[in-house]
Amino acid sequence: MAEFQLLNTTDFVTTLEKESIINFLMANLEEYQDSRDNVSRAVEYALSKFPHQGGFVLIARKDEEIIGICVVNRTNFEGYFAENIIAFLAICSEERRTGVATDLLKQVMVYSKGSIAARLKPDEKIADLFRKSGFRQDAHEFILKR
């Protein structure tokens, strides 16, 4: 069974620890891959000491090795949008389909105050995991990128 480590704005997280988190995500996001810069910014935001930012990073470990990570950013949109958004969720390939992602999501629900959003396409493989964990598809998103 996995052990969980919660890192948030009150923790002192070294640059080396942040790099370890980012490297794990970059190696394991696969089709959900984003740029290293975006992954880094999401981690920095989650661990930020600034009051308008924050969230947490939840790490699943097995025998001291990282096997899963979830990065949750606080949105500060209380009431009219989810207060938290899952920025990244990754599990190492050897531990997929073992319940680690489900356990990570359960822990995310414990540590999050307010609603939690995750941006997914309805046909993505991981969408079933979110549905089984109690997430409901709410709306389609339209984005104007600049």
Side-chain angles (χ1 to χ4, degrees):
M1 180 169 204
E3 294 180 8
F4 296 97
Q5 177 186 16
L6 177 71
L7 301 173
N8 62 30
T9 58
T10 62
D11 294 307
F12 177 75
V13 183
T14 67
T15 302
L16 189 60
E17 289 171 312
K18 288 178 190 174
E19 281 302 309
S20 176
I21 292 165
I22 294 163
N23 289 339
F24 179 88
L25 290 168
M26 294 303 296
N28 292 284
L29 282 169
E30 294 182 357
E31 69 260 30
Y32 307 105
Q33 187 75 46
D34 205 336
S35 71
R36 184 173 188 84
D37 185 53
N38 285 345
V39 171
S40 178
R41 286 191 291 168
V43 171
E44 289 291 342
Y45 187 99
L47 300 174
S48 174
K49 305 285 189 218
F50 292 111
H52 65 283
Q53 295 180 343
F56 59 90
V57 175
L58 190 60
I59 302 172
R61 295 180 191 273
K62 188 176 183 182
D63 301 325
E64 302 298 318
E65 291 294 318
I66 296 174
I67 59 171
I69 292 179
C70 189
V71 179
V72 178
N73 289 164
R74 194 176 66 235
T75 67
N76 293 309
F77 293 138
E78 197 169 320
Y80 62 96
F81 187 75
E83 291 89 344
N84 304 279
I85 186 163
I86 295 175
F88 296 103
L89 172 66
I91 307 297
C92 68
S93 58
E94 302 84 29
E95 295 293 330
R96 291 188 187 144
R97 303 232 179 263
T98 64
V100 174
T102 301
D103 291 343
L104 263 173
L105 280 180
K106 286 179 184 173
Q107 292 297 313
V108 165
M109 290 179 222
V110 168
Y111 292 117
S112 298
K113 292 179 183 163
S115 299
I116 307 165
R119 291 180 46 205
L120 304 169
K121 295 178 184 130
D123 59 338
E124 287 187 53
K125 292 184 287 185
I126 199 168
D128 283 338
L129 168 69
F130 282 88
R131 283 187 199 99
K132 288 176 185 172
S133 296
F135 287 73
R136 297 289 167 250
Q137 186 177 347
D138 191 19
H140 294 284
E141 185 174 51
F142 295 86
I143 300 174
L144 174 64
K145 292 199 177 192
R146 294 182 177 218

